Amino acid sequence: MATVIIGAGIIGTSTAYYLSQSQTPPSSIHLIESSPQLFASASGYAAGFLARDWFTPASALLGRLSFDLHKQLAKEHNGYERWGYSRSTATSLAETIGGGEDQDWLGEGASRAKAAKRIAENDDSRPVWLAPRHGKPDIIDRGDGTAQVDPFELCCFLLSECKSRGVRLHQPAKATSLTRDLSGAPSCVHVKDTNTSEEYVIPCTRLILAAGAWTSQVFKDLFPTSTLQIPVSSLAGHSLLLRSPHWPPPSSDIIPPTVDSKDHGGNQSVDSPKFRPPCHALFTSDPVASYSPELFTRLPSGHIYIAGLNGPYPLPSLPTERVIDPKAIEILKGTAERLLGKAEFEIEREALCWRPVTGRGVPIVGPAKNKKGEGEQGVWVAAGHGPWGISMSLGTGWVVAEMVEGRETAIDVNRLQL
């Protein structure tokens, strides 16, 4: 049974990764990606912040499953070195933090720290790169339920593993139409190579739509007469990738891990390598620019990522057609100067990406059918993760693989279906 996954971002590659290590022959799995540049939107340009318990009840189980899978994957494949997996101390400099009930903090331009359940008292976990004039942040999570990855490197690892198993990547290519059998299920997907204009057909009995912010348009293109709506829209956000002379700190300032950072057998844990400084996530507010900045440190690359400035930038046909707004970049630079200090950083990358969002604030994970059972047979949707696409990626891939193969899912995701 051939499977076609449209979208080779973090959700699509995670699905192919877990599907290819189960009952499905890897050579029968096809990833179709329209962008000439891999991971050119949120999959490659997101923050890479992971959380275990920052989610509303509808997506809480998916968040926990995915967080645990991130940790497991890093342990099995040296994720610390390969994609920068690390525990991260989550902190807040914001004036007020909510109690985890606000589902639409992203749409309101607020901080994702509003999703945290509780805040601990201050301690010595102050980021070394934070300008001295700023006080001690509040601690949201000391790293037991928060972590950090480089999303681009994680995507590269997942895709490389898929290809080594025999999964086929079609890129840049576009699924132009779908042929169905007498029962209405997919029988083949018509594809066009956008480099050569060559058109060909991929046999397909199972179709997964994981095209991020473009998922709704892909569905309309393939099912033009369908009455089903895929309520996924886009939210654009700018970001900067920085370097600071204060991050990572000199080796003499790095404290060896304590007993708490070891596993139950007393061995050094995967997310706390010896002599490794702690990563930080800093959530705050910028009264000058009136938005909620988010800063994340990464290892071993030594980068500091700053974002949080979202805007109504239209979704292009391809993510490579982005046009970065210089005004947004100047605002981010100003925030960086206030938080890190002037002349205390250099900019390595300016970026703009589009996150797939839903009106409910939770992703869509399930068959392309509504609650009445109306929809498209043999089609599944995995999109709309908002700012949590990287965090929920592995859990989503795991669950969708189970669904496609007709197995019982590890967790209940009924509340995430259409």
Side-chain angles (χ1 to χ4, degrees):
M1 298 177 71
T3 305
V4 169
I5 304 171
I6 299 182
I10 186 71
I11 303 298
T13 54
S14 294
T15 303
Y17 179 84
Y18 288 114
L19 197 59
S20 63
Q21 69 179 26
S22 56
Q23 303 169 8
T24 302
S27 61
S28 70
I29 302 172
H30 300 261
L31 280 163
I32 298 178
E33 175 56 53
S34 60
S35 174
Q37 175 188 336
L38 286 170
F39 319 126
S41 192
S43 295
Y45 292 91
F49 178 68
L50 313 178
R52 192 175 193 274
D53 298 304
W54 289 32
F55 309 106
T56 58
S59 56
L61 292 178
L62 181 61
R64 292 170 194 162
L65 171 65
S66 197
F67 187 85
D68 294 343
L69 287 173
H70 275 287
K71 188 172 184 178
Q72 176 184 332
L73 190 73
K75 183 176 182 180
E76 294 175 350
H77 297 280
N78 189 21
Y80 170 70
E81 294 293 341
R82 300 179 73 175
W83 59 87
Y85 179 89
S86 175
R87 287 168 61 121
S88 181
T89 300
T91 65
S92 174
L93 276 175
E95 294 181 1
T96 58
I97 298 297
E101 299 299 327
D102 192 338
Q103 297 187 34
D104 196 31
W105 58 266
L106 182 66
E108 295 172 356
S111 168
R112 84 174 76 200
K114 291 188 72 175
K117 292 183 178 180
R118 59 185 180 274
I119 298 176
E121 296 178 357
N122 289 337
D123 63 11
D124 295 330
S125 299
R126 187 183 190 279
V128 295
W129 42 266
L130 188 62
R133 66 176 176 273
H134 297 288
K136 287 184 178 180
D138 293 319
I139 306 302
I140 303 172
D141 192 301
R142 292 186 173 87
D144 296 322
T146 47
Q148 181 66 43
V149 297
D150 183 324
F152 179 81
E153 296 298 338
L154 174 58
C155 287
C156 288
F157 165 79
L158 292 170
L159 182 58
S160 176
E161 287 291 299
C162 288
K163 293 170 68 175
S164 70
R165 296 171 183 173
V167 174
R168 304 180 185 183
L169 173 66
H170 306 260
Q171 183 259 341
K174 181 179 180 179
T176 57
S177 62
L178 180 74
T179 299
R180 293 189 269 190
D181 60 23
L182 294 178
S183 70
S187 61
C188 64
V189 174
H190 298 257
V191 181
K192 180 178 181 180
D193 184 314
T194 54
N195 267 346
T196 65
S197 296
E198 175 191 359
E199 297 184 7
Y200 55 96
V201 174
I202 302 175
C204 168
T205 55
R206 308 184 299 196
L207 178 64
I208 302 169
L209 305 183
W214 290 265
T215 300
S216 179
Q217 186 59 53
V218 168
F219 182 82
K220 292 177 182 177
D221 291 343
L222 296 181
F223 302 94
T225 61
S226 179
T227 59
L228 188 68
Q229 298 292 319
I230 307 297
V232 175
S233 57
S234 65
L235 181 65
H238 286 81
S239 64
L240 296 177
L241 201 61
L242 313 174
R243 284 198 181 277
S244 165
H246 306 295
W247 177 257
S251 58
S252 59
D253 294 339
I254 299 174
I255 302 173
T258 64
V259 175
D260 293 337
S261 66
K262 297 183 180 181
D263 62 25
H264 295 298
N267 301 312
Q268 193 63 48
S269 72
V270 60
D271 47 359
S272 219
K274 191 175 183 179
F275 304 122
R276 200 217 71 195
C279 283
H280 280 84
L282 178 69
F283 305 98
T284 186
S285 57
D286 189 326
V288 176
S290 299
Y291 79 109
S292 299
E294 302 181 344
L295 288 84
F296 307 91
T297 52
R298 296 175 179 174
L299 285 172
S301 67
H303 287 126
I304 299 177
Y305 176 100
I306 178 172
L309 188 63
N310 306 315
Y313 300 94
L315 185 70
S317 298
L318 296 170
T320 50
E321 297 173 355
R322 71 176 67 85
V323 178
I324 294 176
D325 185 350
K327 293 182 180 179
I329 296 302
E330 286 303 313
I331 291 174
L332 289 171
K333 288 180 181 178
T335 300
E337 289 179 351
R338 286 187 285 276
L339 292 173
L340 279 69
K342 291 186 178 181
E344 293 295 332
F345 64 89
E346 59 182 45
I347 298 173
E348 285 206 355
R349 187 188 72 196
E350 301 174 354
L352 168 64
C353 69
W354 287 264
R355 286 156 294 185
V357 296
T358 66
R360 294 189 300 156
V362 296
I364 299 170
V365 181
K369 295 182 178 181
N370 60 24
K371 293 180 180 180
K372 297 180 181 179
E374 303 168 337
E376 307 302 330
Q377 185 178 343
V379 183
W380 289 264
V381 179
H385 295 72
W388 297 112
I390 307 302
S391 189
M392 291 187 175
S393 59
L394 300 187
T396 299
W398 181 285
V399 170
V400 172
E402 292 174 324
M403 289 180 174
V404 167
E405 292 185 335
R407 295 182 281 130
E408 182 179 355
T409 56
I411 58 171
D412 182 1
V413 292
N414 285 331
R415 297 174 68 177
L416 301 181
Q417 299 182 13
L418 287 168

